Amino acid sequence: MDHAAHPARLRLAALLAAVLLALPGFALAQSRATVLSPQEPATLMPHFDLLTLTHEVQHLIFDCLFVVGPDGDYLPQLATEVPTLANGGVSEDGSTYTIRLRDDVQWHDGEPLTSEDVRFTWQVITDEELPIPSRAVWEQVESVETPDDRTAVIRFADTNVNFLGRAASDACFVLPSHLLAGADLNDHGFHRAPVGTGPYTLEQWSAGAFARLEANDAYFDGAPSIDEIVVQFTGGSQATRTALQRGEAELALHLGQADLRFAQGLAGYEVRQGPAHAWWQFWIDNDDPLLSDVRVRRALAHGLDRELITETVMGGVVEPQHAMLPESHWAHDDDVRTYPYDVDAAAALLDEAGWDTVGSDGVRTRDGERLTLEILNIAGEVERRQVIQIAQDLWSDLGIDASIREIDGAGFPSTMAAGDYQLAYGWFGENQEPVFNLWLGTNWQNFGDESALDLLRGVSSTVDREARAAAIREFQRIVAEEAVMLPLAPRPLLNVASDHLDGYAPTLSGSLWNAYAWTLR
């Protein structure tokens, strides 16, 4: 006889299940995903912390008006649509944005989301009595009007093309006015027990250990498939490695370059890039007597084996970059002049520039002057120095005597700003809606083509995005043609994802922005 099917046994099993479910704290087995984070947030109150890993956790609890999707386009989240000129959401002069909110969004306490929450969020960000680390763009807002509960009208004094980028970035999370208005936000329980509209609710935060979040069954985009997400604060690489080796996590955030090879060899895991508009490059001082000659700059470009560097030091997780902006940026231009590694082409350019005599030490000379260059670097990072040493060796094959000068990170900006360098290695980043501080602000490369720079100056007053893109792409073509700087490769955030995790799709909005859509298999 099949004992499992005996009626008495079935009745007993049903009774036992009912008893257990009635016990406090008891629940049937739930699906759980573990996320490893090397750092613990200081707060989960939005806008009080610039730490990227803080924003990752906040994405589980809060929502934004908009997010950036996998293709780099804006997607509505709390809003019903992304405002544009075509749908009337952006005024003709680009100074006013009309946001229409969804009518099915509730805070975790059951209260409805309203336009007053959007206005309150702006007031918090711009409150000078609060220690808000960044008020960019929001501080330029003149007013937020709320004609009804579902409409927020954002007004600027002048054209502002950066609002959507800011409203979909780390400054995007909307706060509940009904819970926080009139309260002292400097010392408020909300920092440790936040209430959002997001797909998960914070159930437990064990300092120095983990945060446990449970699915919000009332989430407007549908209840998340994964019942529970636990964010473990590893505090460093060794704890992360151990958890991954044991298969105890579905996702590890912000892998260090030193751990890349380890992660690439893990069975059941894959290294994934979290997109970022940042890139590694060699700056060139275009005012330098040697480097003001475009032929020398182009020779350096042809003499740099980008594929060798990306495949070795960078672990093969990125492709070489040729344009000024990385491929992840919506204004990136594929149609720029490229400089494939070509020793003969580089040598011919140096010959043409007059550096056509090679001394007994293998260094080129011109009128008795040796072709020597110095590469500035921030000391202390092994991978940076490895990249520079490869470039140093490659350029020495061309007859260039390249030396390395290392300084501390604190002194790097002032040294660059003073023009006290010839070549420099480092990284730079751009915004979703670029502000071009590398060119219109610092201009460390001393690029003086004013007609080209005017292309960028006009971007901030151009409302139509395609027109902005056209100007930015033309500027990239000029920069590449003149070899004004030497882009090397994107600088992505590296995460490690389990093969059991489906739906993971990191974007510029982060790695956890769509956790509600994840599934486990």
Side-chain angles (χ1 to χ4, degrees):
M1 182 173 65
D2 184 354
H3 294 285
H6 193 281
R9 289 181 179 273
L10 290 176
R11 287 194 296 272
L12 180 60
L15 178 62
L16 180 60
V19 171
L20 288 175
L21 285 172
L23 293 176
F26 182 88
L28 294 177
Q30 293 183 314
S31 58
R32 170 190 291 183
T34 298
V35 177
L36 306 179
S37 172
Q39 292 176 288
E40 179 177 7
T43 174
L44 286 176
M45 172 92 76
H47 314 297
F48 278 69
D49 190 355
L50 286 177
L51 183 66
T52 301
L53 289 164
T54 295
H55 304 150
E56 293 282 19
V57 181
Q58 288 169 338
H59 263 296
L60 298 173
I61 303 168
F62 297 92
D63 291 305
C64 303
L65 294 174
F66 321 101
V67 291
V68 180
D71 58 0
D73 289 338
Y74 297 117
L75 302 175
Q77 193 168 59
L78 293 177
T80 60
E81 61 183 355
V82 177
T84 64
L85 285 171
N87 63 25
V90 181
S91 63
E92 290 293 331
D93 65 355
S95 67
T96 303
Y97 293 78
T98 300
I99 313 298
R100 306 196 186 283
L101 300 175
R102 297 178 61 125
D103 61 5
D104 56 353
V105 180
Q106 292 183 342
W107 294 97
H108 292 159
D109 62 2
E111 289 296 312
L113 172 80
T114 71
S115 56
E116 181 57 34
D117 297 319
V118 178
R119 177 163 62 182
F120 175 71
T121 300
W122 163 62
Q123 292 171 336
V124 169
I125 295 173
T126 55
D127 186 346
E128 294 186 357
E129 297 299 315
L130 296 175
I132 306 298
S134 176
R135 298 182 171 88
V137 180
W138 287 103
E139 64 187 355
Q140 298 167 16
V141 173
E142 284 207 325
S143 66
V144 177
E145 300 170 7
T146 55
D148 58 61
D149 283 350
R150 295 287 169 264
T151 307
V153 181
I154 316 293
R155 296 191 186 279
F156 293 87
D158 302 301
T159 300
N160 192 294
V161 299
N162 295 315
F163 173 70
L164 289 181
R166 198 60 176 154
S169 70
D170 54 358
C172 69
F173 300 113
V174 177
L175 292 166
S177 60
H178 71 284
L179 291 177
L180 299 178
D184 179 5
L185 301 190
N186 288 301
D187 184 20
H188 195 285
F190 200 91
H191 284 275
R192 301 286 301 186
V195 174
T197 60
Y200 287 86
T201 60
L202 180 65
E203 297 300 317
Q204 183 182 4
W205 184 353
S206 178
F210 64 88
R212 183 174 60 83
L213 302 101
E214 291 188 359
N216 173 15
D217 291 337
Y219 190 53
F220 62 84
D221 225 353
S225 298
I226 299 176
D227 299 312
E228 184 176 273
I229 292 181
V230 175
V231 182
Q232 289 187 358
F233 311 124
T234 63
S237 134
Q238 187 53 54
T240 298
R241 285 190 176 207
T242 300
L244 291 174
Q245 283 175 322
R246 293 174 176 172
E248 296 174 345
E250 279 63 49
L251 183 66
L253 300 175
H254 295 200
L255 182 74
Q257 190 73 29
D259 294 323
L260 179 58
R261 293 296 185 192
F262 159 80
Q264 288 174 325
L266 279 174
Y269 287 95
E270 180 184 4
V271 176
R272 299 281 297 274
Q273 294 183 35
H277 293 336
W279 63 92
W280 292 102
Q281 70 172 37
F282 282 93
W283 272 275
I284 298 176
D285 181 0
N286 287 252
D287 277 350
D288 182 80
L290 299 182
L291 297 171
S292 60
D293 189 330
V294 67
R295 296 167 295 188
V296 176
R297 299 197 300 271
R298 288 174 177 166
L300 290 171
H302 273 304
L304 187 63
D305 191 342
R306 293 172 173 82
E307 286 77 9
L308 173 64
I309 294 172
T310 55
E311 285 298 319
T312 55
V313 181
M314 297 183 178
V317 296
V318 293
E319 295 292 327
Q321 179 176 324
H322 300 282
M324 178 190 84
L325 290 174
E327 191 173 350
S328 63
H329 201 286
W330 59 268
H332 163 83
D333 190 3
D334 282 325
D335 187 23
V336 300
R337 178 169 179 164
T338 62
Y339 298 88
Y341 180 57
D342 189 332
V343 174
D344 292 337
L349 284 164
L350 291 175
D351 288 343
E352 184 182 336
W355 299 97
D356 53 2
T357 303
V358 179
S360 59
D361 58 358
V363 177
R364 289 175 177 264
T365 64
R366 182 180 65 183
D367 300 329
E369 180 185 5
R370 298 172 76 250
L371 182 50
T372 62
L373 293 172
E374 183 182 76
I375 307 169
L376 185 68
N377 180 44
I378 295 175
E381 294 186 25
V382 174
E383 292 81 11
R384 290 175 69 119
R385 187 168 181 85
Q386 288 174 339
V387 170
I388 296 172
Q389 287 174 331
I390 290 174
Q392 184 183 32
D393 291 341
L394 292 170
W395 288 332
S396 70
D397 292 340
L398 302 177
I400 300 172
D401 181 13
S403 60
I404 303 173
R405 172 163 63 108
E406 295 194 312
I407 61 175
D408 62 73
F412 190 80
S414 59
T415 302
M416 296 289 288
D420 183 19
Y421 83 103
Q422 290 180 294
L423 297 167
Y425 182 66
W427 67 272
F428 200 83
E430 192 50 271
N431 296 338
Q432 171 75 351
E433 299 297 338
V435 296
F436 307 112
N437 189 53
L438 178 59
W439 304 93
L440 302 180
T442 61
N443 196 9
W444 286 341
Q445 57 277 352
N446 291 313
F447 180 56
D449 186 337
E450 291 299 323
S451 62
L453 291 171
D454 281 343
L455 290 168
L456 301 186
R457 295 186 180 107
V459 166
S460 62
S461 58
T462 303
V463 180
D464 183 74
R465 201 183 200 203
E466 280 307 308
R468 296 204 302 275
I472 298 169
R473 287 168 183 152
E474 176 61 22
F475 184 80
Q476 289 176 85
R477 288 190 281 271
I478 294 171
V479 167
E481 181 69 25
E482 296 299 315
V484 180
M485 39 84 86
L486 303 180
L488 178 62
R491 182 182 183 268
L493 295 175
L494 299 178
N495 303 322
V496 183
S498 167
D499 293 344
H500 300 299
L501 180 64
D502 287 334
Y504 169 65
T507 75
L508 287 166
S509 286
S511 289
L512 309 186
W513 73 280
N514 74 330
Y516 62 89
W518 292 357
T519 58
L520 295 175
R521 53 183 169 85

